[in-house]
């Protein structure tokens, strides 16, 4: 009797514990699943009805990742210029990374290169895509932000030509830092331009690249799926960005955090899905300071939009769905634009500070090599981002004209000379600029303009921010009082 | 509801924020100073001293009650007016940008060794310049007939308590807000420019170091019946409570004297200084005979408007240009 009773309670206890354990396991599995599918860009199922092959994942943006790496590599090469090389090897090499589609897998990835600290899966551009180059996708509109009335792609070629003949890529006479100019402008003229002025613009309308047809004949993804994926690729975020903090994404771009990068735990960083690039990197640099959330806002909108397209299951998107897509596009491109504007703001502040140092050096007669090299680097970044901002769909021509006028075509040099144009043989024309004080004032006004026209929150290097803080500290009078 | 909450916050801020004159800590220090003054210097008995400090006849006088009501009502009026006024930040930006286009004043390359001195220097300069613009504004409030009509409200007090500072017409409040914004904007922008942003205030409990001392050492006694005077040499440097009380006196020879707030040397420099005499009795107010309505709230709000109207009417009717000028712009007879 006793024995049976004992057995009975044991059984109930056991089944109770079993049930608890089982439900706990189930719930943890579902939560892992939800997390996995909810927060990572892909994999997404095949919905294209005409596709009869064996592929299971419709996500494809290898061409964009190839371009991210072409851009990275181009930036590295831009500092290899040599005035004494009659073969023009540096220029030719850069042009290869601008123009070549690496079908034969012969273009090595210059950055990130494989290392023990940060091992990478792919070594050649062609391993990501053999059908992508930068020049084919660069902005073809005439650029007023650069002298010579050239198209975007010609501006990049012009800069490359100059960089190839300039030692270290930095022209200290005219003040041009080509690695920065080429890199930042390419980010705008190719990456941002293609995403927001093409794939998320024309290709998200009802008539273009419909969802009930393959992107191109025989493709395993629909028109809308692939257009969306391409735009995401240009953004440059790792597929698992939502699982990382902004600081981790930043460190991934800096090749400092293998653990954060290697999401599938295969020991290497897959440059297709696990790396942070260009725009996403700049977004992370602002977000990690805590005032903004650009990276996850944009990446999240990309994921939500892709889910919506996937859910249409290979059918044409309804008007309501297209409108919802437009909402996501709005989030993506306005935040993306703000990230670039934050950079313009930040580097205008850097240039302001550098000029103060140069002013001091001029007054005291002390050396200014270090200050100058920083100044030219920051000016290159400022100019590059300012030009990039103008590569978007939104033509704020009034804002752009004012910004370009205040910045000029080149930095104001300590001898007050400044590039004002290009002659017919491609040489810079210079003129006497204003005073350093005036040029600094222009930097302040560029910061004001950015803060005025864009929803900036990070506002790094705010040249008047300290003044506002001091005024805050003394406070305002709120009562009528005599003394 | 939001506005009501904001209103209560502004009221309490006056008593709990060490940036404010009537912060409870300063009121307490004023009590301690007057207590010591009465017991040690004036040799009064403790009980008598306390009784005198908290004299009901003063704190509950008609005049003082009007001060309290004005305090509460003016906050509401300023809540609506302040946002319309030019902000200190806008002024600072304007000045800061202007400085970039001139060459007279250039940014200083600071020697790191002297860095520690800059905040103290900056804090001191700010306090001195702020005090100077207060002096100028106050002098103008007396010398310009139009402004005097407005400033009269403050001087109509028959008894002085620390809250008499709030016996101020809202138009004057607006003038002071603009003065304060101009001073802050100009001084801060100039220093920010010259020192390349490397400036900070030295503060105690969030208040400017020198304001803190000024208030701690009895700024609240300026508006009180405790007549504390300094040695005459010191009254040429700092305005004593007795000196500001003289400023409120109805006696003719006291008129247009001691406009200063913290420092007396502005008055000294411009010839408006009056050193206190210990045997001199001071009666507060504008005129010997009390005006029928001088503590009536509605009258307090309207009288400057009536006064200004009369001035203008007078100006328009008088034909002699010379008289016009005298009456309107600078009139030595005002006070
Ligand atoms: Zn007074
Ligand atoms: Zn007065």
């Amino acid at each position: 009797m006793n024995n049976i009773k004992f057995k009975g309670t044991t059984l109930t206890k056991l089944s109770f514990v079993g049930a608890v354990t089982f439900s706990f396991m189930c719930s943890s599995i579902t939560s892992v699943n939800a997390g996995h599918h909810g927060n990572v860009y892909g994999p997404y199922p095949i919905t294209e009805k005409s596709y009869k092959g064996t592929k299971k994942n419709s996500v494809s943006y290898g061409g964009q990742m190839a371009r991210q790496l072409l851009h990275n590599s181009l930036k590295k090469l831009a500092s290899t210029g040599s005035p004494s090389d009659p073969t023009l090897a540096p220029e030719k090499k850069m042009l290869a990374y601008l123009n070549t589609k690496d079908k034969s897998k012969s273009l090595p990835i210059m950055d990130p290169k494989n290392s023990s600290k940060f091992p990478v899966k792919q070594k050649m551009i062609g391993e990501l895509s053999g059908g992508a180059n930068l020049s084919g996708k660069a902005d073809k509109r005439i650029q007023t932000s650069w002298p010579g009335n050239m198209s975007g792609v010609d501006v990049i070629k012009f800069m490359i030509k100059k960089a190839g003949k300039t030692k270290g890529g930095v022209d200290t006479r005219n003040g041009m830092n080509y690695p920065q100019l080429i890199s930042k402008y390419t980010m705008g003229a190719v990456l941002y331009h293609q995403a927001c002025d093409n794939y998320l613009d024309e290709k998200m309308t009802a008539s273009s690249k419909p969802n009930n047809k393959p992107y191109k004949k025989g493709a395993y993804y629909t028109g809308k799926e692939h257009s969306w994926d391409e735009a995401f690729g240009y953004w440059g975020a790792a597929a698992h960005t939502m699982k990382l903090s902004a600081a981790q994404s930043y460190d991934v771009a800096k090749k400092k955090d293998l653990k954060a990068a290697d999401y599938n735990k295969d020991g290497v960083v897959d440059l297709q899905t696990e790396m942070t690039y260009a725009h996403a990197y700049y977004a992370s640099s602002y977000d990690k300071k805590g005032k903004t959330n650009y990276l996850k806002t944009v990446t999240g909108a990309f994921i939500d939009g892709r889910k919506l397209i996937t859910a249409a299951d290979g059918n044409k998107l309804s008007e309501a769905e297209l409108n919802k897509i437009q909402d996501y596009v709005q989030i993506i491109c306005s935040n993306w634009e703000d990230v670039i504007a934050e950079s313009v703001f930040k580097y205008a502040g850097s240039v302001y500070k550098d000029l103060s140092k140069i002013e001091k050096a001029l007054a005291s007669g002390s050396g200014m090599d270090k200050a100058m090299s920083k100044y030219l680097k920051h000016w290159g970044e400022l100019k590059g981002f300012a030009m990039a901002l103008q590569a978007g769909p939104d033509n704020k021509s009034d804002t752009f004209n004012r910004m370009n006028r205040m910045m000029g075509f080149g930095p104001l040099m300590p001898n007050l000379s400044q590039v004002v144009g290009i002659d017919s043989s491609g040489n810079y024309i210079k003129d006497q600029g204003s005073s350093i004080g005036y040029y600094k004032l222009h930097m302040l006004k560029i910061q004001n303009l950015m803060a005025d026209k864009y929803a900036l929150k990070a506002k790094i290097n705010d040249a008047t921010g300290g003044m506002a803080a001091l005024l805050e500290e003394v406070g305002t009078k709120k009562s009528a009082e005599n003394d | 509801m939001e506005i009501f909450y904001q209103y209560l916050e502004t009221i309490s801020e006056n008593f709990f924020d060490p940036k404010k004159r009537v912060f409870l800590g300063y009121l307490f220090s004023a009590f301690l100073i007057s207590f010591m003054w009465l017991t040690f210097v004036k040799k009064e008995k403790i009980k008598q001293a306390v009784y005198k400090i908290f004299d009901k006849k003063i704190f509950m006088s008609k005049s003082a009650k009007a001060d309290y009501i004005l305090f509460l009502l003016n906050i509401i009026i300023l809540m609506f007016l302040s946002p319309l006024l030019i902000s200190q930040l806008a002024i600072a930006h304007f000045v800061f940008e202007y400085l970039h286009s001139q060459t007279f004043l250039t940014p200083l390359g600071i020697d790191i060794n002297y860095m520690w001195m800059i905040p103290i220097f900056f804090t001191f300069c700010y306090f001195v310049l702020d005090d100077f613009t207060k002096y100028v504004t106050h002098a103008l409030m007396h010398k310009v007939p139009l402004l005097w009509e407005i400033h009269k409200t403050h001087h109509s007090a028959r008894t002085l308590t620390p809250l008499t500072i709030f016996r101020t017409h809202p138009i004057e409040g607006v003038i002071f807000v603009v003065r304060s914004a101009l001073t802050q904007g100009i001084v801060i922008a100039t220093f920010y420019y010259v020192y390349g942003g490397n400036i900070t205030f030295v503060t105690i409990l969030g208040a400017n170091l020198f304001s803190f001392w000024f208030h701690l050492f009895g700024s609240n006694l300026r508006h009180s019946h405790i007549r504390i005077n300094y040695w005459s040499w010191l009254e040429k440097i700092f305005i004593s409570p007795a000196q500001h009380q003289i400023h409120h006196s109805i006696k003719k020879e006291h008129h247009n004297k001691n406009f200063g707030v913290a420092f007396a040397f502005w008055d000294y420099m411009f010839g408006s200084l009056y050193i206190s005499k210990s045997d001199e009795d001071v009666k507060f107010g504008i005129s010997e005979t009390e005006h029928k309505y001088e503590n009536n709230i509605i009258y307090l709000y309207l009288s400057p408007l009536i006064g200004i109207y009369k001035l203008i009417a007078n100006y328009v009717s008088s034909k002699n240009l010379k008289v016009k000028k005298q009456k309107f712009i600078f009139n030595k007879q005002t006070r």
Side-chain angles (χ1 to χ4, degrees):
Chain A
M1 209 37 200
N2 239 351
N3 210 5
I4 292 163
K5 202 181 177 186
F6 170 75
K7 266 183 187 165
T9 46
T10 318
L11 267 174
T12 5
K13 267 185 191 168
L14 267 175
S15 55
F16 177 70
V17 171
V20 168
T21 320
F22 182 69
S23 55
F24 185 76
M25 271 165 60
C26 288
S27 65
S28 63
I29 285 166
T30 30
S31 74
V32 163
N33 267 342
H36 190 82
H37 288 297
N39 289 328
V40 180
Y41 196 93
Y44 297 113
I46 306 280
T47 67
E48 174 48 45
K49 296 189 167 84
S50 66
Y51 179 68
K52 299 286 179 274
T54 54
K55 285 197 186 284
K56 292 269 179 289
N57 178 11
S58 61
V59 176
S60 164
Y61 52 90
Q64 285 57 50
M65 290 299 121
R67 289 189 185 96
Q68 294 283 4
L69 291 159
L70 286 167
H71 160 251
N72 278 6
S73 304
L74 192 53
K75 187 186 177 190
K76 278 271 170 302
L77 291 169
S79 57
T80 60
S82 156
S84 54
D85 188 344
T87 68
L88 302 177
E91 181 190 332
K92 283 177 184 158
K93 203 163 180 192
M94 278 184 262
L95 286 175
Y97 280 82
L98 183 73
N99 298 324
T100 308
K101 296 179 177 175
D102 192 23
K103 216 167 263 167
S104 57
K105 294 186 184 146
S106 57
L107 279 186
I109 294 166
M110 312 294 289
D111 176 43
K113 276 192 168 164
N114 192 44
S115 73
S116 58
K117 226 182 98 195
F118 202 78
V120 294
K121 192 173 165 187
Q122 296 90 344
K123 314 291 179 304
M124 295 291 167
I125 301 284
E127 290 174 54
L128 291 121
S129 166
N133 68 4
L134 289 170
S135 56
K137 293 288 184 180
D139 196 349
K140 286 174 183 62
R141 297 173 294 187
I142 297 295
Q143 301 301 308
T144 52
S145 56
W146 193 256
N149 280 318
M150 292 180 261
S151 69
V153 60
D154 286 339
V155 168
I156 299 173
K157 284 179 186 161
F158 175 88
M159 288 174 174
I160 286 177
K161 197 172 178 141
K162 290 277 185 195
K165 283 187 223 140
T166 310
K167 191 173 168 250
V170 182
D171 173 357
T172 51
R173 212 170 64 83
N174 295 305
M176 301 295 181
N177 181 316
Y178 292 109
Q180 294 302 339
L181 285 165
I182 292 171
S183 163
K184 270 58 184 190
Y185 181 51
T186 305
M187 279 173 63
V190 179
L191 311 177
Y192 171 55
H193 175 67
Q194 278 301 317
C196 287
D197 206 6
N198 181 16
Y199 289 107
L200 298 181
D201 197 14
E202 288 100 60
K203 295 205 167 90
M204 284 302 139
T205 54
S207 53
S208 174
K209 298 287 175 194
N211 201 46
N212 56 348
K213 287 193 180 126
Y215 185 82
K216 55 187 182 230
K217 217 176 164 218
Y220 57 93
Y221 34 70
T222 70
K224 285 280 178 284
E225 280 172 350
H226 190 57
S227 299
W228 196 261
D229 288 349
E230 301 227 346
F232 176 69
Y234 283 123
W235 170 237
H240 63 294
T241 292
M242 302 304 274
K243 305 248 177 218
L244 302 176
S245 68
Q248 282 175 314
S249 284
Y250 180 87
D251 286 342
V252 168
K254 289 276 182 196
K255 293 160 272 184
K256 279 185 194 154
D257 195 343
L258 173 63
K259 226 180 120 193
D262 186 15
Y263 182 61
N264 67 0
K265 305 283 168 236
D266 62 354
V268 290
V269 179
D270 186 339
L271 297 179
Q272 169 67 34
T273 55
E274 294 179 337
M275 188 65 188
T276 310
Y277 297 97
H279 292 284
Y281 158 71
Y282 275 92
S284 75
S285 76
Y286 300 126
D287 293 351
K288 78 189 179 93
K289 312 233 168 182
K291 281 190 198 162
T292 56
N293 195 23
Y294 292 125
L295 180 58
K296 289 195 178 174
T297 305
V298 172
T299 308
F302 267 121
I303 291 173
D304 293 343
R306 185 55 161 87
K307 278 187 192 159
L308 189 152
I309 296 170
T310 307
D313 200 25
N315 297 310
K316 207 167 176 163
L317 296 185
S318 69
E319 201 172 313
E321 284 167 329
L322 282 168
N323 284 341
K324 191 78 196 131
I325 284 290
Q326 279 313 313
D327 292 346
Y328 293 130
V329 168
Q330 175 59 30
I331 294 170
I332 291 165
C333 289
S334 70
N335 278 279
W336 194 332
E337 190 181 35
D338 288 346
V339 172
I340 300 174
E342 291 272 17
S343 296
V344 173
F345 186 98
K346 174 185 168 184
Y347 291 111
S350 305
V351 163
Y352 182 92
K353 276 191 207 161
D354 297 334
L355 283 168
S356 300
K357 283 184 194 139
I358 288 167
E359 266 181 322
K360 273 179 208 168
L362 281 172
S364 64
S366 57
M368 58 163 100
D369 287 358
K370 220 175 133 190
M372 267 312 283
S373 106
K374 272 195 176 164
Y375 170 49
L376 299 187
K377 177 174 180 281
H378 291 145
W379 192 88
E381 292 180 284
L382 169 67
K383 183 69 184 176
F385 276 121
M387 293 172 75
L389 193 59
Q390 303 173 48
D394 198 357
N395 189 15
K396 297 185 166 87
S397 59
D398 225 39
T399 305
F400 297 159
N401 289 343
R402 279 173 66 192
M403 179 171 70
N404 293 336
R405 203 172 50 239
M406 290 191 280
M407 207 172 284
F409 290 143
L412 184 76
M413 300 304 278
N415 64 6
L416 303 187
S417 69
Q418 191 175 17
V419 169
V420 293
I422 300 171
D423 67 16
S424 54
S425 41
N427 297 312
Y428 289 120
I429 304 166
K430 291 180 88 179
D431 197 1
Q432 206 63 7
S434 51
S435 70
I436 292 183
Y438 263 117
Y439 200 59
K440 279 170 76 181
L441 180 58
H442 286 171
M443 294 302 126
L444 288 182
K445 290 192 168 165
I446 289 168
Q447 285 203 328
N448 290 346
L449 187 67
M450 290 298 108
D452 222 37
K453 304 287 177 191
Y454 301 91
L456 305 190
K457 279 175 228 87
K459 290 191 176 179
I460 313 284
N461 292 334
D462 188 350
T464 55
M467 205 163 67
L470 285 169
L471 289 165
E472 189 83 13
E473 207 177 338
V474 287
T476 40
K477 273 216 165 84
K478 285 180 197 147
S479 342
E481 54 183 281
N482 259 275
D483 290 290
Chain B
M1 205 53 214
E2 175 80 22
I3 287 176
F4 182 67
Y5 182 74
Q6 207 183 324
Y7 174 62
L8 291 183
E9 201 179 73
T10 311
I11 294 174
S12 69
E13 210 177 62
N14 271 297
F15 298 100
F16 294 101
D17 181 356
K19 281 180 200 162
K20 307 285 178 190
R21 168 87 65 97
V22 292
F23 167 60
L24 292 177
Y26 303 142
L27 288 173
F28 185 68
S29 78
F31 160 72
L32 283 183
I33 291 167
S34 41
F35 180 74
M36 310 245 255
W37 172 265
L38 291 176
T39 51
F40 290 108
V41 183
K42 295 289 162 192
K43 310 281 181 218
E44 290 188 18
K45 295 214 170 66
I46 292 176
K47 203 177 154 187
Q48 208 180 344
V50 174
Y51 185 79
K52 186 167 182 184
I53 293 167
F54 295 106
D55 192 342
K56 212 177 146 187
K57 281 207 298 296
I58 289 176
F59 284 97
M60 283 298 141
S61 70
K62 269 190 209 156
S63 169
K65 281 178 185 161
D67 298 354
Y68 307 149
I69 296 169
L70 245 62
F71 168 58
L72 297 173
L73 292 178
N74 278 344
I75 289 176
I76 300 175
I77 297 170
L78 273 243
M79 263 168 73
F80 290 100
L81 283 181
S82 304
L84 305 176
L85 303 174
I86 184 157
S87 78
Q88 3 141 268
L89 190 61
I91 296 163
H93 270 142
F94 179 81
V95 174
F96 190 61
E97 288 184 4
Y98 165 73
L99 289 170
H100 285 80
S101 57
Q102 53 82 49
T103 48
F104 179 71
L105 205 61
T106 50
L108 275 180
I110 318 150
D111 190 337
I112 280 301
N113 289 327
Y114 296 102
M115 278 297 241
W116 62 271
M117 276 173 58
I118 296 167
I120 296 175
F121 179 64
F122 169 55
T123 310
F124 181 70
C125 286
Y126 176 78
F127 183 73
V128 172
L129 290 168
D130 193 45
D131 197 68
F132 177 65
T133 60
K134 280 176 182 171
Y135 171 85
V136 172
T137 313
H138 189 189
L140 289 175
M141 296 308 296
H142 281 260
K143 304 255 177 172
V144 179
L146 268 182
L147 297 177
W148 168 242
E149 290 302 323
I150 301 163
H151 188 49
K152 256 184 186 171
T153 308
H154 179 61
H155 281 273
S156 67
R158 291 286 168 182
T159 57
L160 299 183
T161 82
L163 292 187
T164 304
I165 59 167
F166 299 114
R167 189 191 185 97
T168 299
H169 195 273
I171 300 176
E172 192 175 19
V174 166
I175 293 171
F176 289 155
V177 168
V178 172
R179 178 212 64 82
S180 163
L182 277 171
T183 312
Q184 288 178 5
I186 294 170
V187 175
I188 288 175
T190 307
F191 269 81
Y192 196 78
Y193 176 73
V194 171
Y195 290 99
N198 296 310
I199 47 166
T200 45
F201 275 116
V202 184
T203 57
I204 298 181
L205 302 177
N208 178 303
L209 174 73
F210 299 99
S211 306
F212 180 82
W213 284 348
F214 170 60
H215 294 323
L216 195 70
F217 291 124
S219 69
N220 278 303
L221 295 169
R222 292 160 57 81
H223 294 103
S224 79
H225 53 291
I226 312 297
R227 213 170 74 226
I228 297 178
N229 56 346
Y230 304 156
W231 299 285
S232 57
W233 62 266
L234 192 60
E235 287 195 344
K236 286 175 188 157
I237 304 170
F238 298 110
I239 295 281
S240 71
Q243 279 174 295
H244 189 69
Q245 289 157 18
I246 285 167
H247 176 73
H248 276 269
S249 159
I250 52 171
K251 270 196 194 147
K252 199 127 202 148
E253 64 261 42
H254 292 159
H255 288 184
N256 285 339
K257 298 292 180 202
N258 300 346
F259 297 125
V261 180
F263 296 114
F265 44 71
W266 314 121
D267 281 298
Y268 188 61
M269 276 158 61
F270 297 105
S272 52
L273 190 69
Y274 189 99
I275 306 286
S276 71
K277 298 168 189 143
S278 53
D279 55 340
E280 207 170 24
D281 241 341
V282 177
K283 205 175 158 200
F284 308 135
I286 299 172
S287 56
E288 197 69 56
T289 48
E290 288 194 19
H291 189 284
K292 207 170 151 190
Y293 301 117
E294 71 180 25
N295 291 315
N296 177 301
I297 297 301
I298 295 166
Y299 176 78
L300 282 172
Y301 277 109
L302 293 182
S303 69
L305 305 177
I306 298 166
I308 289 169
Y309 172 75
K310 278 185 185 161
L311 268 177
I312 293 172
N314 213 335
Y315 170 78
V316 173
S317 64
S318 90
K319 295 204 169 63
N320 188 329
L321 247 176
K322 219 172 167 187
V323 175
K324 270 189 179 184
K325 233 179 176 176
Q326 258 182 18
K327 274 193 171 163
F328 211 57
I329 317 285
F330 273 99
N331 188 346
K332 294 242 167 71
Q333 304 308 309
T334 48
R335 193 78 177 93

